[in-house]
Amino acid sequence: MTEIQETYASTGPVPCAEHPDVETRLRCSRCGKPICPRCGVRTPVGMRCPDCAGTRSAVAANPTATGKAAGAGIVVAAVVGVAWGFAPDWQFYWSLILGFGVVEAMARLLRSPRGTDLQAIAIVIVVCGVVLSRAIVAQRLGVDLSEVNNLRPAVQRALYLRPIPDLLFALLPILIAWRRFR
Ligand SMILES: [Zn+2]
Ligand SMILES: [Zn+2]
């Protein structure tokens, strides 16, 4: 399929990569794949294929691979979440490891790791990792998370519940997930 398209790359109309029955001269402005008016997506930098425009739903395109990728991401998030819970002092590193670990584990299992649904899945997974780390810290300190708002500041500090650094460390892996699958 791709060989045929490359052979005709510099000549006239070629079959659209998505719709082989449609002849087209349009090409994706990013990857050069032949696209037709039906599948091309208008962007500020020209017409793009659904993959490069990020409009293709990764889940719909390949549910099995996406499921496996999500599974791998969950495993990484669980491991990092537990490690983070046991060594919360290193949370800057844990938040980076969580973000990159989850997205790379997922991307490895996907052919075109892009799409808003993938971003959403990855973000949910990293948030679960962060929550898990907090739950473990709380468990180790023997506090009930539902009473967290009534805790004395000293306990809150021990739990790393200060809003600013805490939100930052939760935001970091979310940003990584968002960027990677954009
Ligand atoms: Zn493209
Ligand atoms: Zn097409």
Side-chain angles (χ1 to χ4, degrees), residues 83-92 94 134 137 140 158-160:
W84 187 341
F86 279 94
D89 288 338
W90 299 346
Q91 59 175 342
F92 172 69
W94 291 128
R134 288 314 126 104
V137 174
R140 286 173 57 222
L159 269 172
Y160 291 86

mmCIF file of all heavy atoms in Angstrom, residues 83-92 94 134 137 140 158-160:
data_model
loop_
_atom_site.group_PDB
_atom_site.id
_atom_site.type_symbol
_atom_site.label_atom_id
_atom_site.label_comp_id
_atom_site.label_asym_id
_atom_site.label_seq_id
_atom_site.Cartn_x
_atom_site.Cartn_y
_atom_site.Cartn_z
ATOM 1 N N ALA A 83 5.407 3.395 44.689
ATOM 2 C CA ALA A 83 6.761 3.868 45.009
ATOM 3 C C ALA A 83 6.712 5.296 45.546
ATOM 4 O O ALA A 83 7.365 5.639 46.541
ATOM 5 C CB ALA A 83 7.643 3.793 43.762
ATOM 6 N N TRP A 84 5.891 6.139 44.887
ATOM 7 C CA TRP A 84 5.705 7.533 45.282
ATOM 8 C C TRP A 84 5.148 7.589 46.717
ATOM 9 O O TRP A 84 5.590 8.377 47.547
ATOM 10 C CB TRP A 84 4.766 8.189 44.289
ATOM 11 C CG TRP A 84 4.574 9.679 44.424
ATOM 12 C CD1 TRP A 84 4.843 10.455 45.506
ATOM 13 C CD2 TRP A 84 4.065 10.545 43.404
ATOM 14 N NE1 TRP A 84 4.527 11.755 45.229
ATOM 15 C CE2 TRP A 84 4.050 11.845 43.962
ATOM 16 C CE3 TRP A 84 3.608 10.355 42.104
ATOM 17 C CZ2 TRP A 84 3.592 12.942 43.233
ATOM 18 C CZ3 TRP A 84 3.155 11.449 41.392
ATOM 19 C CH2 TRP A 84 3.153 12.727 41.950
ATOM 20 N N GLY A 85 4.205 6.704 47.000
ATOM 21 C CA GLY A 85 3.604 6.664 48.331
ATOM 22 C C GLY A 85 4.603 6.318 49.424
ATOM 23 O O GLY A 85 4.488 6.768 50.553
ATOM 24 N N PHE A 86 5.613 5.505 49.046
ATOM 25 C CA PHE A 86 6.590 5.087 50.047
ATOM 26 C C PHE A 86 7.777 6.026 50.146
ATOM 27 O O PHE A 86 8.519 5.987 51.117
ATOM 28 C CB PHE A 86 7.050 3.649 49.771
ATOM 29 C CG PHE A 86 6.075 2.634 50.294
ATOM 30 C CD1 PHE A 86 5.087 2.094 49.477
ATOM 31 C CD2 PHE A 86 6.111 2.253 51.635
ATOM 32 C CE1 PHE A 86 4.169 1.182 49.966
ATOM 33 C CE2 PHE A 86 5.194 1.340 52.128
ATOM 34 C CZ PHE A 86 4.215 0.794 51.300
ATOM 35 N N ALA A 87 7.995 6.843 49.136
ATOM 36 C CA ALA A 87 9.109 7.796 49.181
ATOM 37 C C ALA A 87 8.632 9.162 48.705
ATOM 38 O O ALA A 87 9.092 9.684 47.695
ATOM 39 C CB ALA A 87 10.259 7.295 48.311
ATOM 40 N N PRO A 88 7.660 9.751 49.441
ATOM 41 C CA PRO A 88 7.035 10.996 48.952
ATOM 42 C C PRO A 88 7.996 12.186 48.865
ATOM 43 O O PRO A 88 7.694 13.166 48.188
ATOM 44 C CB PRO A 88 5.917 11.265 49.968
ATOM 45 C CG PRO A 88 6.224 10.424 51.154
ATOM 46 C CD PRO A 88 7.093 9.292 50.707
ATOM 47 N N ASP A 89 9.159 12.081 49.528
ATOM 48 C CA ASP A 89 10.106 13.188 49.451
ATOM 49 C C ASP A 89 10.635 13.404 48.038
ATOM 50 O O ASP A 89 11.083 14.492 47.697
ATOM 51 C CB ASP A 89 11.294 12.928 50.389
ATOM 52 C CG ASP A 89 10.873 13.085 51.831
ATOM 53 O OD1 ASP A 89 9.853 13.763 52.084
ATOM 54 O OD2 ASP A 89 11.548 12.519 52.710
ATOM 55 N N TRP A 90 10.620 12.372 47.245
ATOM 56 C CA TRP A 90 11.135 12.478 45.881
ATOM 57 C C TRP A 90 10.029 12.747 44.898
ATOM 58 O O TRP A 90 10.092 12.320 43.746
ATOM 59 C CB TRP A 90 11.843 11.168 45.482
ATOM 60 C CG TRP A 90 13.006 10.845 46.342
ATOM 61 C CD1 TRP A 90 13.630 11.680 47.222
ATOM 62 C CD2 TRP A 90 13.677 9.582 46.429
ATOM 63 N NE1 TRP A 90 14.655 11.018 47.850
ATOM 64 C CE2 TRP A 90 14.707 9.735 47.374
ATOM 65 C CE3 TRP A 90 13.509 8.361 45.776
ATOM 66 C CZ2 TRP A 90 15.559 8.702 47.705
ATOM 67 C CZ3 TRP A 90 14.367 7.329 46.103
ATOM 68 C CH2 TRP A 90 15.385 7.493 47.057
ATOM 69 N N GLN A 91 8.996 13.463 45.322
ATOM 70 C CA GLN A 91 7.818 13.502 44.464
ATOM 71 C C GLN A 91 8.023 14.223 43.137
ATOM 72 O O GLN A 91 7.328 13.932 42.176
ATOM 73 C CB GLN A 91 6.610 14.038 45.193
ATOM 74 C CG GLN A 91 6.705 15.407 45.759
ATOM 75 C CD GLN A 91 5.345 15.772 46.328
ATOM 76 O OE1 GLN A 91 4.355 15.163 45.999
ATOM 77 N NE2 GLN A 91 5.309 16.765 47.190
ATOM 78 N N PHE A 92 9.005 15.114 43.087
ATOM 79 C CA PHE A 92 9.277 15.742 41.789
ATOM 80 C C PHE A 92 9.663 14.677 40.761
ATOM 81 O O PHE A 92 9.155 14.640 39.647
ATOM 82 C CB PHE A 92 10.400 16.774 41.927
ATOM 83 C CG PHE A 92 10.859 17.332 40.615
ATOM 84 C CD1 PHE A 92 10.020 18.158 39.877
ATOM 85 C CD2 PHE A 92 12.101 17.015 40.099
ATOM 86 C CE1 PHE A 92 10.432 18.662 38.655
ATOM 87 C CE2 PHE A 92 12.522 17.520 38.879
ATOM 88 C CZ PHE A 92 11.684 18.338 38.151
ATOM 89 N N TRP A 94 9.128 11.411 41.016
ATOM 90 C CA TRP A 94 8.026 10.462 40.811
ATOM 91 C C TRP A 94 7.010 11.006 39.828
ATOM 92 O O TRP A 94 6.478 10.266 39.007
ATOM 93 C CB TRP A 94 7.327 10.128 42.141
ATOM 94 C CG TRP A 94 8.158 9.316 43.074
ATOM 95 C CD1 TRP A 94 8.428 9.603 44.383
ATOM 96 C CD2 TRP A 94 8.833 8.081 42.791
ATOM 97 N NE1 TRP A 94 9.237 8.630 44.913
ATOM 98 C CE2 TRP A 94 9.500 7.685 43.961
ATOM 99 C CE3 TRP A 94 8.951 7.281 41.653
ATOM 100 C CZ2 TRP A 94 10.257 6.516 44.037
ATOM 101 C CZ3 TRP A 94 9.711 6.116 41.720
ATOM 102 C CH2 TRP A 94 10.344 5.752 42.903
ATOM 103 N N ARG A 134 -1.109 9.185 47.203
ATOM 104 C CA ARG A 134 -1.644 9.869 48.392
ATOM 105 C C ARG A 134 -2.327 8.887 49.332
ATOM 106 O O ARG A 134 -2.205 8.961 50.547
ATOM 107 C CB ARG A 134 -2.669 10.944 47.993
ATOM 108 C CG ARG A 134 -2.040 12.131 47.364
ATOM 109 C CD ARG A 134 -0.860 12.544 48.176
ATOM 110 N NE ARG A 134 0.317 12.613 47.334
ATOM 111 C CZ ARG A 134 0.833 13.733 46.918
ATOM 112 N NH1 ARG A 134 0.324 14.859 47.296
ATOM 113 N NH2 ARG A 134 1.908 13.734 46.164
ATOM 114 N N VAL A 137 0.345 7.089 51.259
ATOM 115 C CA VAL A 137 0.916 7.934 52.311
ATOM 116 C C VAL A 137 -0.050 7.997 53.491
ATOM 117 O O VAL A 137 0.337 7.811 54.648
ATOM 118 C CB VAL A 137 1.210 9.359 51.783
ATOM 119 C CG1 VAL A 137 1.669 10.254 52.924
ATOM 120 C CG2 VAL A 137 2.250 9.330 50.684
ATOM 121 N N ARG A 140 -0.159 4.766 55.389
ATOM 122 C CA ARG A 140 1.044 4.555 56.192
ATOM 123 C C ARG A 140 0.986 5.407 57.454
ATOM 124 O O ARG A 140 1.516 5.027 58.493
ATOM 125 C CB ARG A 140 2.293 4.892 55.376
ATOM 126 C CG ARG A 140 2.602 3.818 54.338
ATOM 127 C CD ARG A 140 3.732 4.254 53.457
ATOM 128 N NE ARG A 140 4.925 4.568 54.222
ATOM 129 C CZ ARG A 140 5.702 5.611 53.994
ATOM 130 N NH1 ARG A 140 5.408 6.443 53.037
ATOM 131 N NH2 ARG A 140 6.766 5.807 54.723
ATOM 132 N N ALA A 158 2.561 16.517 56.542
ATOM 133 C CA ALA A 158 3.132 15.176 56.441
ATOM 134 C C ALA A 158 2.544 14.432 55.246
ATOM 135 O O ALA A 158 3.206 13.613 54.624
ATOM 136 C CB ALA A 158 2.868 14.395 57.722
ATOM 137 N N LEU A 159 1.296 14.770 54.922
ATOM 138 C CA LEU A 159 0.618 14.113 53.800
ATOM 139 C C LEU A 159 0.948 14.785 52.463
ATOM 140 O O LEU A 159 0.475 14.369 51.433
ATOM 141 C CB LEU A 159 -0.896 14.182 54.000
ATOM 142 C CG LEU A 159 -1.554 13.028 54.728
ATOM 143 C CD1 LEU A 159 -3.015 13.365 54.998
ATOM 144 C CD2 LEU A 159 -1.476 11.757 53.909
ATOM 145 N N TYR A 160 1.708 15.840 52.514
ATOM 146 C CA TYR A 160 2.054 16.597 51.303
ATOM 147 C C TYR A 160 0.800 17.168 50.663
ATOM 148 O O TYR A 160 0.577 17.051 49.475
ATOM 149 C CB TYR A 160 2.812 15.720 50.309
ATOM 150 C CG TYR A 160 4.175 15.389 50.811
ATOM 151 C CD1 TYR A 160 4.370 14.314 51.637
ATOM 152 C CD2 TYR A 160 5.265 16.199 50.493
ATOM 153 C CE1 TYR A 160 5.618 14.026 52.136
ATOM 154 C CE2 TYR A 160 6.513 15.920 50.985
ATOM 155 C CZ TYR A 160 6.687 14.830 51.803
ATOM 156 O OH TYR A 160 7.921 14.556 52.294
#
